[in-house]
């Protein structure tokens, strides 16, 4: 298990996060460029090593009803991945109903194109007519596209 100090060092490698002290020597880390009212990425980091990262719902992490995943037992890589996921989630404003209904075309720097389409309860990514991947939420699909180097047209 990573110590409080180790977790703090890892979190502070993200320049977009701002540290704020709260009660009982705990720390919150805010992403002030959030597209939502929600700005806290790391919540209640405690000197005993416990704390939470906001990961929303419907994504790859087990979260409580508030969208928080416990980080007590995470590795350095897991913590970094969760924080990256959270920042990407808070950076992407949900589309309006009209935008969601339309297919979204995403392009890579090399000119590759993928299409993001909502079908039933899934968000599917297509390369031409071939299904590339499926996600339970638009946020998770967009995070995947961004991690793969694609940008929305």
């Amino acid at each position: 298990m990573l110590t409080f100090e180790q977790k703090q060092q890892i979190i502070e490698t993200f320049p977009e996060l701002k540290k704020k002290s709260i009660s009982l020597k705990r720390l919150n880390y805010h992403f002030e460029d959030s597209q939502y009212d929600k700005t806290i990425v790391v919540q209640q980091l405690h000197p005993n090593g416990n704390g939470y990262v906001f990961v929303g719902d419907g994504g790859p992490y087990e979260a409580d009803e508030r969208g928080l995943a416990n980080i007590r037992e995470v590795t350095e890589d897991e913590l970094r991945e969760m924080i990256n996921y959270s920042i990407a989630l808070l950076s992407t404003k949900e589309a309006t109903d009209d935008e969601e209904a339309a297919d979204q075309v995403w392009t890579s720097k090399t000119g590759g194109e993928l299409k993001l389409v909502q079908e039933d309860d899934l968000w599917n990514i297509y390369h031409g007519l071939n299904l590339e991947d499926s996600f339970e939420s638009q946020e998770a699909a967009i995070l995947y596209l961004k991690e793969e180097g694609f940008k929305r047209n």
Side-chain angles (χ1 to χ4, degrees):
M1 180 174 90
L2 297 170
T3 66
F4 169 77
E5 291 79 13
Q6 290 170 320
K7 288 177 183 170
Q8 191 176 1
Q9 285 177 339
I10 293 164
I11 295 164
E12 290 178 5
T13 64
F14 292 87
E16 56 268 67
L17 298 181
K18 183 176 180 184
K19 176 172 66 173
K20 293 189 180 179
S21 296
I22 57 174
S23 62
L24 303 172
K25 299 182 183 178
R26 296 174 300 167
L27 302 172
N28 283 347
Y29 288 86
H30 292 256
F31 175 56
E32 296 186 354
D33 290 334
S34 174
Q35 297 296 306
Y36 301 91
D37 291 338
K38 173 81 175 155
T39 64
I40 299 175
V41 171
V42 179
Q43 186 169 326
Q44 300 176 1
L45 180 62
H46 193 278
N48 69 9
N50 202 14
Y52 304 90
V53 171
F54 176 74
V55 293
D57 58 359
Y61 300 102
E62 186 176 324
D64 66 14
E65 65 279 352
R66 300 170 297 164
L68 299 173
N70 190 289
I71 59 170
R72 184 173 201 55
E73 302 290 332
V74 297
T75 66
E76 178 178 348
D77 289 340
E78 290 170 333
L79 181 56
R80 286 185 190 283
E81 288 172 14
M82 291 171 83
I83 292 170
N84 277 322
Y85 181 84
S86 181
I87 290 170
L89 198 59
L90 293 172
S91 296
T92 306
K93 187 71 172 167
E94 285 186 30
T96 64
D97 289 340
D98 291 339
E99 289 172 322
E100 286 181 358
D103 296 347
Q104 300 175 14
V105 177
W106 290 69
T107 348
S108 70
K109 290 180 182 177
T110 59
E113 279 192 359
L114 294 177
K115 189 181 285 188
L116 176 60
V117 180
Q118 183 181 19
E119 298 174 318
D120 298 320
D121 292 335
L122 295 175
W123 288 87
N124 295 323
I125 297 175
Y126 289 94
H127 179 257
L129 297 176
N130 297 321
L131 179 64
E132 175 88 13
D133 215 333
S134 289
F135 297 89
E136 292 180 6
S137 71
Q138 181 183 23
E139 293 84 5
I142 289 172
L143 178 63
Y144 169 82
L145 288 163
K146 286 182 175 182
E147 286 177 347
E148 294 297 318
F150 285 82
K151 292 188 179 190
R152 186 171 176 188
N153 290 349

